[in-house]
Amino acid sequence: MKEFFNKRFITFLAITLVVALVSTAIAADGTKWIGAFYVSGKVGLKWQKAADATEYIIYRSVADGEFEELTRVKKPQYFDVLPIAGTVLSYKIGYIGADGAEVLSSVKKVTTPAAAAGEFKAPVWSGIRIDRKKILLRWDKVPGAIAYNVYRSVTSGDGYEVIGNATANRHSDGDGLEKGTTYYYVISGLNDQFEETELSEERSLKFGTSKAELDSLEKANEIVLIDIPMSLVWKIESAGNDGDLNQPADLAINSAGDVYITDVNNNRVCVFDKDGKYKFSFGTKTPPDLLDNPPTGSFSSPFTVE
């Protein structure tokens, strides 16, 4: 009889131990995974709802390192929007059970793709110009970029500030531009993980001419009349025995110093030496009926001489 009870006691203990082990295994498993996947630069996590969970604790490990708490959520789903590229990320979900102990899920691993080598680089300029009241900027598209930051400064190599964001590879800057100011620009690219490229090379452009510069140019081009003292050396009033000049209009001087003067109303050119002494004249009046085909040596009101 005693041996019978001992066997029953041993059997009871064995059943109790098995139940305890099964309970422990279930508790250790925690909530069940529905899925974990990488798409469009994010890791999506989804698991079964636990009846006694009021919030879920998400743990993440990078490259099989130590698990660290990533965040806490109310719903049984989460998007890790800033995963690390080119590595293995491990996740597990925990929650506090009714007995106050933390219950953990199994581990789910996701491999994230590496960034494409040599593609995500700083933009390369393709043009910069003024268009009316704006400065137009253009650059080549950057593979992997979904947007671009446009920086501007009034100092070369320093003091850049973001003045705009563009989804295309161009930007029109018309914000607070002042005429006569030189503006310096650099561009960067952004990918879907909000990573930013290095800054592009600097490009600069002077925006128009300021009023002060226009005033300075106008002043520089002003014609200033200066009184120059002159003394009379000689004056010409007549062509000697050939009579007085009648409306002299123009003169020229040759290499020997002879002075050629047009005598308009007398239809001739009078020649004087360098001392103003009359030498000779040439030219006759063109007959009225030959104005369209004047004879050689004739003039009709010679105003200029070359």
Side-chain angles (χ1 to χ4, degrees):
M1 186 68 141
K2 182 177 180 182
E3 183 178 349
F4 172 76
F5 278 108
N6 285 339
K7 287 182 179 179
R8 292 192 64 182
F9 180 72
I10 291 171
T11 301
F12 173 76
L13 287 177
I15 293 172
T16 302
L17 181 59
V18 169
V19 171
L21 289 172
V22 171
S23 300
T24 302
I26 293 173
D29 284 345
T31 186
K32 304 297 182 182
W33 283 102
I34 295 176
F37 53 89
Y38 178 91
V39 61
S40 299
K42 299 178 287 187
V43 173
L45 309 173
K46 191 169 180 61
W47 56 93
Q48 292 180 350
K49 184 177 181 181
D52 55 344
T54 57
E55 71 173 358
Y56 301 94
I57 309 166
I58 302 174
Y59 296 93
R60 187 179 76 174
S61 164
V62 179
D64 294 326
E66 295 292 328
F67 277 94
E68 296 182 358
E69 182 176 326
L70 183 62
T71 188
R72 298 191 178 204
V73 296
K74 299 293 184 182
K75 296 181 179 181
Q77 61 190 40
Y78 178 72
F79 276 100
D80 185 0
V81 297
L82 292 175
I84 299 172
T87 189
V88 176
L89 299 176
S90 302
Y91 298 89
K92 59 184 178 180
I93 311 300
Y95 68 91
I96 306 301
D99 60 356
E102 184 175 15
V103 184
L104 293 172
S105 72
S106 61
V107 174
K108 201 74 171 177
K109 293 188 175 183
V110 177
T111 301
T112 60
E119 287 188 352
F120 199 50
K121 295 182 178 180
V124 176
W125 285 96
S126 61
I128 178 171
R129 64 184 178 87
I130 295 176
D131 181 24
R132 297 181 182 179
K133 296 182 179 180
K134 297 180 179 181
I135 294 178
L136 302 184
L137 315 172
R138 291 187 67 90
W139 55 91
D140 295 339
K141 290 183 178 180
V142 176
I146 63 171
Y148 303 90
N149 281 333
V150 181
Y151 295 83
R152 187 182 77 188
S153 176
V154 293
T155 304
S156 177
D158 189 27
Y160 299 117
E161 293 183 358
V162 175
I163 59 161
N165 306 102
T167 54
N169 57 322
R170 58 184 178 274
H171 180 71
S172 175
D173 180 22
D175 184 19
L177 299 178
E178 296 183 2
K179 289 185 176 181
T181 300
T182 299
Y183 293 97
Y184 301 85
Y185 296 91
V186 291
I187 314 292
S188 69
L190 296 170
N191 64 14
D192 57 5
Q193 299 180 49
F194 298 102
E195 295 170 331
E196 187 174 14
T197 67
E198 297 291 329
L199 297 178
S200 69
E201 292 184 355
E202 182 183 80
R203 284 292 181 91
S204 64
L205 189 66
K206 184 178 179 181
F207 182 69
T209 307
S210 68
K211 186 178 183 304
E213 289 175 320
L214 288 173
D215 291 344
S216 177
L217 288 172
E218 185 177 344
K219 185 175 182 180
N221 292 328
E222 285 182 354
I223 297 176
V224 179
L225 300 178
I226 301 175
D227 291 332
I228 300 176
M230 300 181 69
S231 57
L232 179 64
V233 177
W234 43 260
K235 68 178 181 177
I236 297 174
E237 295 180 342
S238 70
N241 295 329
D242 291 333
D244 294 338
L245 301 182
N246 189 352
Q247 194 177 341
D250 192 19
L251 65 83
I253 301 174
N254 67 11
S255 59
D258 292 334
V259 180
Y260 291 73
I261 300 177
T262 59
D263 189 8
V264 177
N265 289 337
N266 288 325
N267 295 288
R268 65 180 177 175
V269 175
C270 299
V271 182
F272 301 83
D273 66 16
K274 62 181 181 179
D275 296 319
K277 183 179 179 181
Y278 176 66
K279 296 179 68 175
F280 62 89
S281 64
F282 58 88
T284 60
K285 183 177 181 179
T286 303
D289 57 337
L290 298 178
L291 290 177
D292 293 333
N293 188 21
T296 302
S298 67
F299 295 111
S300 177
S301 302
F303 277 95
T304 61
V305 63
E306 295 182 359

